[in-house]
Amino acid sequence: GAVVSQHPSWVICKSGTSVKIECRSLDFQATTMFWYRQFPKQSLMLMATSNEGSKATYEQGVEKDKFLINHASLTLSTLTVTSAHPEDSSFYICSAGNRDRGWQTQYFGPGTRLLVL
Amino acid sequence: LAKTTQPISMDSYEGQEVNITCSHNNIATNDYITWYQQFPSQGPRFIIQGYKTKVTNEVASLFIPADRKSSTLSLPRVSLSDTAVYYCLVGSGGYQKVTFGIGTKLQVIP
């Protein structure tokens, strides 16, 4: 299947700092990327959908000014957690799909563990 | 977005066949059914996808009845390494957002 990578795989930061997470599609062009958040023992919760070259669409309850998403190319999307606080500590997962290929599935990255102290 | 319902957890002994059923009563005509596997601290991994009848690949089979209101993931001869959470998702394209349910936590017992 298609390969999606994330960087970093884990990050620890101080409260109030900003953290950037990268999501890359390694062997295909991702017209659409999704960002999820997963708390311990819970399911994945969709945060936002981003289409290459356009603004991200955020799910209800997700602050767009806090979670900045940039999808500037067909192989890279970034999620920046601004002014992170301990409650933002979570497992962040991206996925990618290709609208033009008519794919019926998303391919997921390995996830990024964020711990805010 | 079609909502899915799965058992929260299942236990199975090694070597047994495991069947996990998912209900999706309001599945749309264009929707496909996709199953993912997730290990702790990892992203979900694609297992199998189908639209109707039966689909089989090297790791699993997917059975979908004619009314498509449910589907069953079949894992043959499970091993300890199959212990994971399995998610059933319904959607109409890889570029369309989907909603993850709780998933089924499968525990394989030696």
Side-chain angles (χ1 to χ4, degrees):
Chain A
V3 179
V4 176
S5 70
Q6 284 185 239
H7 177 80
S9 56
W10 59 270
V11 57
I12 301 174
C13 70
K14 293 182 178 180
S15 184
T17 61
S18 294
V19 175
K20 180 184 285 188
I21 302 171
E22 293 185 349
C23 176
R24 293 183 184 273
S25 57
L26 299 184
D27 55 358
F28 68 101
Q29 293 184 328
T31 53
T32 306
M33 285 186 169
F34 303 88
W35 287 94
Y36 296 83
R37 180 167 52 180
Q38 186 175 33
F39 293 107
K41 300 188 184 300
Q42 294 187 22
S43 185
L44 283 77
M45 292 175 50
L46 179 65
M47 300 175 65
T49 302
S50 86
N51 291 296
E52 186 266 339
S54 61
K55 291 183 178 181
T57 301
Y58 291 81
E59 293 300 302
Q60 189 173 7
V62 178
E63 301 175 55
K64 63 179 182 180
D65 294 329
K66 181 171 183 60
F67 299 99
L68 302 179
I69 292 173
N70 184 285
H71 190 171
S73 78
L74 286 171
T75 58
L76 174 65
S77 176
T78 60
L79 168 67
T80 301
V81 184
T82 61
S83 186
H85 291 283
E87 57 265 30
D88 298 323
S89 298
S90 188
F91 191 52
Y92 291 86
I93 306 170
C94 72
S95 71
N98 187 297
R99 177 183 61 247
D100 298 331
R101 291 192 184 185
W103 285 0
Q104 294 297 333
T105 189
Q106 301 173 25
Y107 291 94
F108 287 82
T112 297
R113 176 75 59 190
L114 170 63
L115 177 61
V116 184
L117 303 177
Chain B
L1 299 174
K3 182 180 177 180
T4 60
T5 304
Q6 306 171 229
I8 294 175
S9 64
M10 295 180 69
D11 292 337
S12 176
Y13 288 102
E14 270 192 297
Q16 299 287 326
E17 177 185 75
V18 171
N19 296 308
I20 306 174
T21 297
C22 177
S23 297
H24 28 79
N25 291 319
N26 59 341
I27 187 170
T29 302
N30 296 331
D31 286 343
Y32 280 69
I33 301 154
T34 310
W35 285 80
Y36 290 91
Q37 175 193 56
Q38 187 183 29
F39 298 112
S41 296
Q42 294 186 28
R45 183 176 74 98
F46 173 85
I47 300 176
I48 197 167
Q49 184 180 72
Y51 184 80
K52 61 180 179 180
T53 62
K54 177 183 175 181
V55 180
T56 298
N57 62 22
E58 63 275 9
V59 298
S61 294
L62 178 60
F63 299 91
I64 306 169
D67 65 5
R68 304 200 327 123
K69 293 183 182 300
S70 67
S71 59
T72 299
L73 174 71
S74 181
L75 304 173
R77 298 180 299 281
V78 294
S79 64
L80 295 177
S81 62
D82 293 317
T83 293
V85 178
Y86 292 82
Y87 293 99
C88 159
L89 278 83
V90 175
S92 59
Y95 55 92
Q96 303 284 355
K97 67 178 184 179
V98 292
T99 300
F100 277 79
I102 296 175
T104 298
K105 184 174 183 180
L106 172 66
Q107 180 69 52
V108 180
I109 306 166

